[in-house]
Amino acid sequence: AGNVAENLLALGARVSLLGVLGNDVAAEVYTKRTCPSLDFPVLVEEGRQTNLKTRYYNGLKRVFAIDQTDSRHINEATENKIIKFVKDRISDYEAVIFQDQGHGFFSDGFVCRLRETINGRNDVLVNVQAPSDASKYQAYRGLHTIFMNQTEAKAFDFDHRDVECKLTDLVKSDVCVTLGKEGAVLFRKIHRYYVPANSVTSVDSCG
C-alpha cells in the first residue's frame, strides 16, 4: 500500500494512507515519512508485528529477500477505528483503493463492513494478491475495478489475447490485468483496452 501511495504522490495526487502498524521499531520507519500531500493517520495495534520486507542487492541484481509478516486478522477495536475514519472522511475522496496483500487487514467480514460504510460508491479500485486462491476475489464482487497480475488471472484460465473476458462476469467488475513487460489490458464492460509497457531497465518487479 505504501508503494501505491508513493506512486500517487509522485503523480501529484493528495493521498490518505490508512493501515495498521505494530508497536515496534519497524513502525518508526513508516511514521517518520512526511509529505505535505500525504495524510498518514498512524494506527498501532498492541501485540502486532509491523510487516517488514527487506531486499538485498548487489548493484542492480537482487541477491535475496526477507519478509517478516504478521498475517493475523486485525482485531475488532482496530476495525472500529478504521470504520470511523472512513465514515468521517469518505466524502473528501475522489477514489478509494483497497490494496489487499493478504496479510490480515482485509478479512471477508471486514470487507463487508467497509462496503456498508462506503455505501455503494462506484469509484472503488481493488488490487488483490491471491495467486493461488481465486475465491478471494469473491469478497470484492461488484466493486468498480479489480486489478490482478497475469499469474493471478491464470487461476481463471485467463488469456490476455482474448477479445472478451469472462473475468468481468465472474467478479461483476471491470478487470485490469498487468502483463509485466508486455504492458496491461483493461476489460471495461464490453470493451477491451491494451496498453504496451514503457521500455525500462527492470531492477525489481515490485511496483
Side-chain angles (χ1 to χ4, degrees):
N3 189 28
V4 175
E6 292 292 350
N7 285 325
L8 288 168
L9 290 169
L11 290 168
R14 291 169 52 232
V15 178
S16 286
L17 175 60
L18 191 60
V20 178
L21 305 177
N23 187 13
D24 52 27
V25 174
E28 297 177 9
V29 177
Y30 295 97
T31 55
K32 288 178 180 177
R33 175 68 171 100
T34 59
C35 172
S37 298
L38 175 64
D39 175 30
F40 186 18
V42 177
L43 291 176
V44 174
E45 186 173 291
E46 293 294 332
R48 191 174 193 86
Q49 174 185 297
T50 302
N51 289 339
L52 184 64
K53 299 186 176 184
T54 308
R55 305 291 182 261
Y56 293 86
Y57 289 86
N58 179 7
L60 295 181
K61 183 180 180 181
R62 188 169 81 176
V63 180
F64 63 94
I66 298 175
D67 292 351
Q68 299 165 272
T69 58
D70 188 340
S71 296
R72 294 172 297 165
H73 293 319
I74 58 177
N75 63 39
E76 186 176 1
T78 303
E79 283 190 10
N80 291 338
K81 291 177 183 178
I82 295 166
I83 293 296
K84 182 180 186 307
F85 179 91
V86 175
K87 281 182 177 178
D88 292 344
R89 302 285 295 278
I90 192 66
S91 61
D92 297 340
Y93 301 113
E94 294 179 6
V96 177
I97 300 174
F98 292 169
Q99 180 72 16
D100 185 352
Q101 303 295 124
H103 294 316
F105 187 96
F106 289 104
S107 67
D108 288 354
F110 189 40
V111 172
C112 288
R113 294 189 67 188
L114 288 168
R115 277 182 179 273
E116 294 172 359
T117 306
I118 61 179
N119 195 25
R121 286 183 61 137
N122 63 353
D123 53 6
V124 181
L125 312 177
V126 181
N127 186 21
V128 190
Q129 290 199 351
S132 59
D133 184 9
S135 65
K136 180 68 175 176
Y137 294 95
Q138 298 309 308
Y140 298 103
R141 280 170 60 92
L143 295 178
H144 187 281
T145 305
I146 294 178
F147 295 78
M148 59 185 80
N149 63 35
Q150 197 168 10
T151 300
E152 293 156 350
K154 283 181 178 177
F156 300 94
D157 298 322
F158 172 80
D159 187 332
H160 72 275
R161 295 164 295 190
D162 291 343
V163 175
E164 297 181 359
C165 180
K166 67 179 182 179
L167 275 173
T168 55
D169 291 330
L170 288 170
V171 298
K172 304 302 180 187
S173 305
D174 295 339
V175 175
C176 180
V177 181
T178 57
L179 308 171
K181 63 182 180 181
E182 295 183 55
V185 60
L186 169 68
F187 294 92
R188 175 156 290 168
K189 297 182 171 50
I190 62 172
H191 303 290
R192 176 186 184 277
Y193 304 91
Y194 171 74
V195 179
N198 293 328
S199 179
V200 297
T201 300
S202 177
V203 177
D204 193 300
S205 61
C206 181

